[in-house]
Amino acid sequence: MPTKYLLDESQMPTAWYNIQADLPEPLPPVLHPGTHQPVTASDLEPLFTPALIEQEMTTEREVEIPEPVREIYKLWRPAPLYRAYGLEKALGTPAKIYYKYEGVSPAGSHKPNSAIPQAFYNKEAGIKRLTTETGAGQWGTSLSFAGAHFDLDVTVFQVSVSYQQKPYRRAVMETYGAKCVASPSELTEFGRQVLAETPDHTGSLGIAISEAVELAVKDPDTKYALGSVLNHVLLHQSIIGLESMQQMEMAGDWPDVIVGCTGGGSNFAGIAFPFIGQALRGGQKSRVVAVEPSACPSLTRGKYAYDYGDTAHMTPLTKMHTLGAHFTPPGFHAGGLRYHGMAPLVSHIKELGLFDAVAYTQKQCFEAGVIFARAEGIVPAPEANHAVKGAIEEALRCKREGKEEVILFNLCGHGHFDMAAYTAYFAGQLSDHEYSEEELAMALSGLPSL
Ligand SMILES: *Cc1c(COP(=O)(O)O)cnc(C)c1O
């Protein structure tokens, strides 16, 4: 039996999949931050280019992937699907474990799947510069790579703590030609305001988003790009699940369980939505599990409510699982999972009961990642360790129950830029933070009342 399932370039999907076409109930509307009325396309135009706004709002099932985007995708796509024989053996499980590997992209994660089309549509619209935020550096790297391809200036607001701790990430972004700024910064009004109050502020994704949005709103040649959460980002990531479906067919298996990690929800949606959609259209149903960090538990402990996407309340209000836009998670190592909210589409589908969510601590996840690395050879990104942990738990359940289920998970990135986190884990320096009900209630008390 093969270890990996590879598709030819000619078998790469030519359209993304939009789960909105198959939902039994439509997504709640996005509201304007000032008027609290549903937003219109023109409300979003200061931030995004019309093609992306259309993708944000469409309920068409298929959206064609433009030819120039497909050409760049071919640098690393179709991505391989592996059968995890080594991990199965290490666990002594009767389950069959498969993983889709997104770490083969130039940036080392799934994020270029959306960075490339976002840069493409902006270039087509005559935009000169993109602004964005980055936490761990994955999205900033991906957008910088995309900007280099389409000759766009890219300004990345990197959360200050990660700017200091991850100089190599910054160096990669600069290699691609991007400008990288520690956030909060002196470049924006909001950044200056935060620094005036707290000169040594270590930053947060919410603040970095506010800064990136502010620059975009002020300049007609500049647009903003977001690496997760939004419908169009989840749409672009559907290529992960679409390819996986073809590859599972090649393997002659179909997943009983699908596992993904969730920060803003894009790689999870990428692997899971095509399968969930097919089940909604009458196809075979898989159990789907989202895994999040206990230190930022929006799906398992957050509230499903309208909230802002950023700290300065410049973004529209979306209904989502949120910990409150002022929630500042502790500096744990899966930086890509530190966002206070969850994608509205993922949140809505959770409310419809179409998947389960679980949370694990970072120590549990690093332990799982090390088991995986020793059995399979790939060192996962700290974020991906959450998916690994979820898959291992399912495989151990199969072992207890004597079940030969098929498990598919998304290995969304490698950890080569995050080895300091592994070093800290091996040195016993990682701590786990569990929130009390009071702490969570405090963060949620700032939710807007509508
Ligand atoms: C950014 C990132 C995540 C979290 O983002 P999602 O939108 O939830 O996918 C997870 N894993 C990796 C490797 C990332 O870079």
Side-chain angles (χ1 to χ4, degrees):
M1 294 291 281
T3 296
K4 58 183 184 302
Y5 296 88
L6 301 172
L7 299 170
D8 290 337
E9 286 179 6
S10 65
Q11 292 169 294
M12 199 170 75
T14 55
W16 293 297
Y17 166 68
N18 179 12
I19 199 166
Q20 293 203 62
D22 292 316
L23 289 179
E25 286 171 40
L27 201 57
V30 176
L31 305 181
H32 189 280
T35 64
H36 295 179
Q37 294 303 304
V39 292
T40 58
S42 62
D43 292 329
L44 297 174
E45 268 166 24
L47 292 182
F48 304 111
T49 205
L52 289 170
I53 295 172
E54 196 188 317
Q55 291 185 359
E56 190 60 23
M57 298 185 153
T58 184
T59 53
E60 289 291 310
R61 181 171 290 118
E62 292 196 340
V63 175
E64 197 197 329
I65 306 175
E67 178 69 31
V69 171
R70 268 185 272 159
E71 284 308 310
I72 299 174
Y73 272 177
K74 285 178 189 169
L75 285 174
W76 73 97
R77 306 210 73 87
L81 177 87
Y82 286 86
R83 171 85 183 266
Y85 287 110
L87 183 62
E88 291 170 16
K89 190 160 160 240
L91 301 173
T93 178
K96 294 182 183 178
I97 308 174
Y98 292 87
Y99 60 94
K100 178 74 167 168
Y101 185 41
E102 290 292 318
V104 291
S105 81
S109 76
H110 63 286
K111 293 223 169 64
N113 296 335
S114 187
I116 293 292
Q118 289 194 46
F120 166 77
Y121 291 116
N122 276 289
K123 183 69 185 181
E124 276 226 307
I127 296 304
K128 301 276 185 288
R129 180 166 71 151
L130 292 176
T131 62
T132 195
E133 72 293 327
T134 199
Q138 287 274 18
W139 172 245
T141 305
S142 302
L143 195 71
S144 304
F145 156 58
H149 255 285
F150 290 104
D151 194 21
L152 289 163
D153 286 344
V154 174
T155 302
V156 181
F157 289 91
Q158 184 169 13
V159 176
S160 177
V161 59
S162 113
Y163 183 90
Q164 310 303 343
Q165 285 174 357
K166 299 193 165 185
Y168 296 127
R169 269 282 172 208
R170 199 193 325 155
V172 179
M173 292 185 246
E174 287 167 355
T175 302
Y176 286 131
K179 178 174 165 194
C180 194
V181 185
S183 166
S185 77
E186 296 286 345
L187 242 57
T188 65
E189 246 169 68
F190 186 64
R192 289 191 290 274
Q193 190 185 316
V194 172
L195 286 173
E197 283 164 22
T198 317
D200 56 352
H201 203 295
T202 53
S204 72
L205 272 179
I207 294 170
I209 294 174
S210 298
E211 292 204 89
V213 164
E214 185 185 317
L215 283 196
V217 169
K218 282 180 176 163
D219 176 8
D221 287 334
T222 299
K223 297 282 179 203
Y224 168 67
L226 187 62
S228 185
V229 177
L230 297 175
N231 301 342
H232 66 266
V233 181
L234 275 50
L235 174 79
H236 301 152
Q237 294 296 350
S238 68
I239 193 161
I240 302 171
L242 293 170
E243 285 180 3
S244 300
M245 284 176 145
Q246 293 185 60
Q247 289 162 311
M248 291 303 307
E249 265 169 30
M250 279 168 85
D253 273 325
W254 199 253
D256 297 298
V257 187
I258 299 167
V259 183
C261 70
T262 47
S266 74
N267 90 86
F268 168 77
I271 189 126
F273 281 7
F275 288 93
I276 294 176
Q278 182 155 307
L280 286 170
R281 298 192 302 277
Q284 197 176 327
K285 196 167 179 290
S286 309
R287 199 162 70 78
V288 179
V289 183
V291 186
E292 65 180 6
S294 333
C296 197
S298 54
L299 276 173
T300 53
R301 298 183 72 192
K303 195 166 163 186
Y304 185 53
Y306 274 100
D307 197 8
Y308 296 96
D310 72 323
T311 309
H313 297 181
M314 290 190 282
T315 68
L317 288 154
T318 54
K319 197 163 185 190
M320 61 183 176
H321 288 91
T322 180
L323 296 161
H326 293 278
F327 178 83
T328 308
F332 64 93
H333 283 281
L337 306 182
R338 294 185 71 210
Y339 189 58
H340 68 272
M342 182 51 59
L345 260 176
V346 172
S347 296
H348 180 61
I349 287 169
K350 174 75 169 57
E351 288 301 295
L352 294 175
L354 298 174
F355 71 88
D356 300 326
V358 290
Y360 294 110
T361 66
Q362 64 172 348
K363 278 194 229 166
Q364 293 174 312
C365 295
F366 273 98
E367 187 189 356
V370 170
I371 293 171
F372 182 87
R374 290 179 186 172
E376 292 291 322
I378 298 170
V379 179
E383 295 86 358
N385 282 342
H386 292 73
V388 173
K389 171 68 178 170
I392 288 181
E393 283 303 311
E394 291 296 325
L396 293 177
R397 176 187 56 75
C398 290
K399 183 175 174 177
R400 285 193 303 274
E401 298 174 355
K403 285 189 180 154
E404 208 179 289
E405 289 179 22
V406 175
I407 299 166
L408 166 67
F409 75 95
N410 192 32
L411 190 68
C412 47
H414 67 65
H416 297 179
F417 290 103
D418 303 289
M419 295 320 293
Y422 278 86
T423 302
Y425 170 69
F426 291 126
Q429 288 165 350
L430 293 192
S431 57
D432 285 329
H433 188 89
E434 292 280 358
Y435 292 98
S436 64
E437 290 305 323
E438 289 73 27
E439 278 177 286
L440 284 178
M442 182 98 85
L444 285 168
S445 64
L447 286 181
S449 48
L450 298 177

